[in-house]
Amino acid sequence: MNNKKDKIDIRSLTLEALQQQFISMGEKPFRARQVYEWLWQKSCLSFDDMSNISKELRSKLNETFVINNVRINSSQVSADKTIKNSFILHDTHLIEGVLIPTTDRMTACVSSQVGCSLTCKFCATGYMERKRNLNPDEIYDQVVLIDKQARENYGIPLSNIVYMGMGEPLLNYANVLKSIERITAEDGLNMAAKRITVSTAGIAKMIRKLGDDKVKFNLALSLHAANDEKRNAIMPINEQNSLKALAEALKYYYAKTKNAVTYEYIVFDGVNDTLKDAEELARFCKHLPCKVNIIEYNPISFANFINAGEDRIEVFADYLRKQGVTTNIRRSRGKDIDAACGQLAINEKEKEASLS
């Protein structure tokens, strides 16, 4: 089993499955737990570095298994200290992850898919083909690498994780939940679930499933319009997941988890920036406990969307607040680098194509 593609991806195995593998190899089950801890607690990427494992067993591990780790392909550092990474996977696909430092938190933004099958008109990733889902360990690796960047560059560990990078997390449901299980587990990275937010473009049946699974992490919905006609135009996923269907799913989710929801809303100039739009959003917010994050947009070359003016955004936010809706304005980060979701990976691919 010398060929890498014939080896078993060791991090695809549960502890129980790994123990069975060790028994079949003539090894004691407790050795499997030792290796499992090296992989998930210590984020070890080489069997040869597992110092409490015998040389003979390390040799067996190298013969039988592979660790398909994620590596940093390139990084861009913004004047505001944001670090945008393109990561290369074992099969040479590129994804993105971002370190976002602010005064009160250190956040990792991670990807869940290579590309995206949704076609949101304002998102760079929406113009990429979805190649495949990420495995749980590939999501976990992004967190480990970004945490290392935070410690090395700013002397502060990660405090938060947002699944807001490339891809739609709820279309990679099982792997996303498994990655969160490893990130939050005591024998994993031991991060609190309340420090993790999963952002969805809105898939009603999967939001219901989050409720059935009684998840502990936070849920955010990329809303951007509380009017079906407008949302259909900028987010075609809304055609199969209407605002009514989403509202019902979110109410079900809240009833099951008691977790408030965050609505993400980019105020686009001339698209969704009127007081009537704010009124529709305020009405949508009445369905369950929630807050609104108004997000500043990073324009992309593929689309003609731009931010509404600052005065207009303030009027919009002020209206929501007067209606009793908790509203925050999130300023754009990394404006001087390829900060929009998907931009860096697209540019890297285009650079590769021009050189080949």
Side-chain angles (χ1 to χ4, degrees):
M1 210 185 260
N2 289 320
N3 193 327
K4 189 174 178 180
K5 68 180 180 183
D6 294 329
K7 295 180 182 181
I8 299 165
D9 175 5
I10 193 167
R11 292 190 298 177
S12 70
L13 302 177
T14 62
L15 175 58
E16 293 72 22
L18 189 59
Q19 286 171 332
Q20 288 305 311
Q21 283 282 339
F22 271 52
I23 291 167
S24 72
M25 291 162 58
E27 297 289 341
K28 300 286 187 190
F30 82 89
R31 292 291 182 201
R33 179 170 285 283
Q34 286 180 315
V35 170
Y36 199 75
E37 286 174 359
W38 275 107
L39 294 169
W40 295 110
Q41 266 187 316
K42 300 173 184 173
S43 310
C44 186
L45 299 176
S46 169
F47 298 121
D48 295 326
D49 292 337
M50 298 180 179
S51 54
N52 62 347
I53 305 294
S54 72
K55 198 170 179 182
E56 182 189 357
L57 178 51
R58 277 181 268 165
S59 178
K60 277 191 197 176
L61 293 173
N62 278 312
E63 279 289 311
T64 310
F65 301 106
V66 67
I67 303 172
N68 287 324
N69 61 294
V70 174
R71 292 175 289 114
I72 293 176
N73 182 61
S74 69
S75 299
Q76 296 180 355
V77 183
S78 168
D80 66 17
K81 298 186 176 180
T82 299
I83 304 178
K84 180 109 184 213
N85 303 289
S86 79
F87 295 122
I88 189 162
L89 309 181
H90 70 93
D91 55 5
T92 74
H93 285 309
L94 293 178
I95 57 167
E96 293 177 357
V98 187
L99 172 63
I100 308 166
T102 59
T103 51
D104 60 344
R105 62 182 62 185
M106 196 66 71
T107 302
C109 176
V110 299
S111 296
S112 56
Q113 296 179 308
V114 181
C116 188
S117 58
L118 306 186
T119 54
C120 299
K121 303 304 180 188
F122 51 86
C123 177
T125 312
Y127 293 84
M128 299 171 71
E129 183 185 352
R130 187 193 75 85
K131 300 293 187 182
R132 68 172 176 85
N133 287 334
L134 294 185
N135 297 326
D137 52 286
E138 292 173 322
I139 300 171
Y140 163 98
D141 277 355
Q142 294 173 70
V143 174
V144 171
L145 288 167
I146 296 170
D147 178 56
K148 188 179 178 192
Q149 278 185 333
R151 292 170 189 269
E152 288 179 352
N153 287 277
Y154 307 121
I156 303 169
L158 279 184
S159 61
N160 296 75
I161 303 167
V162 294
Y163 284 64
M164 295 183 187
M166 292 167 61
E168 167 51 61
L170 298 192
L171 291 180
N172 187 17
Y173 190 92
N175 287 348
V176 162
L177 262 63
K178 177 67 177 173
S179 72
I180 292 172
E181 184 269 314
R182 286 288 84 220
I183 290 164
T184 57
E186 283 186 20
D187 62 352
L189 298 181
N190 202 23
M191 287 191 73
K194 282 294 177 191
R195 297 284 186 170
I196 299 172
T197 298
V198 171
S199 176
T200 178
I203 296 147
K205 69 176 183 179
M206 303 313 291
I207 291 171
R208 287 177 175 272
K209 183 158 173 52
L210 289 172
D212 288 332
D213 289 337
K214 294 183 170 59
V215 298
K216 299 285 194 295
F217 54 80
N218 303 303
L219 178 65
L221 173 66
S222 291
L223 192 60
H224 311 308
N227 168 306
D228 277 318
E229 187 180 350
K230 287 190 176 186
R231 199 164 188 268
N232 288 348
I234 60 173
M235 301 180 73
I237 185 68
N238 195 71
E239 292 168 10
Q240 293 82 40
N241 294 268
S242 68
L243 289 165
K244 183 173 185 248
L246 287 176
E248 291 303 317
L250 289 164
K251 284 189 274 188
Y252 180 86
Y253 163 84
Y254 178 74
K256 293 282 190 176
T257 67
K258 295 299 181 238
N259 289 343
V261 173
T262 298
Y263 298 128
E264 295 158 347
Y265 196 102
I266 300 170
V267 186
F268 295 113
D269 183 58
V271 177
N272 60 354
D273 58 347
T274 67
L275 275 180
K276 185 171 187 294
D277 292 306
E279 185 185 324
E280 289 169 343
L281 177 55
R283 199 177 309 128
F284 191 81
C285 288
K286 301 298 181 193
H287 292 300
L288 69 152
C290 67
K291 68 176 180 182
V292 170
N293 282 344
I294 292 176
I295 301 168
E296 194 175 357
Y297 183 56
N298 271 318
I300 58 170
S301 59
F302 310 100
N304 293 320
F305 294 95
I306 58 171
N307 277 307
E310 281 199 30
D311 290 353
R312 205 161 182 81
I313 290 172
E314 289 294 345
V315 168
F316 194 99
D318 189 53
Y319 177 87
L320 293 175
R321 291 178 185 128
K322 284 176 177 169
Q323 300 303 308
V325 178
T326 301
T327 305
N328 303 303
I329 299 174
R330 301 282 190 216
R331 298 299 175 194
S332 177
R333 306 283 298 183
K335 287 184 182 181
D336 53 332
I337 57 176
D338 292 320
C341 183
Q343 261 188 328
L344 183 54
I346 287 173
N347 290 347
E348 292 287 345
K349 279 294 183 190
E350 286 175 350
K351 200 183 299 176
E352 281 178 19
S354 69
L355 293 172
S356 60

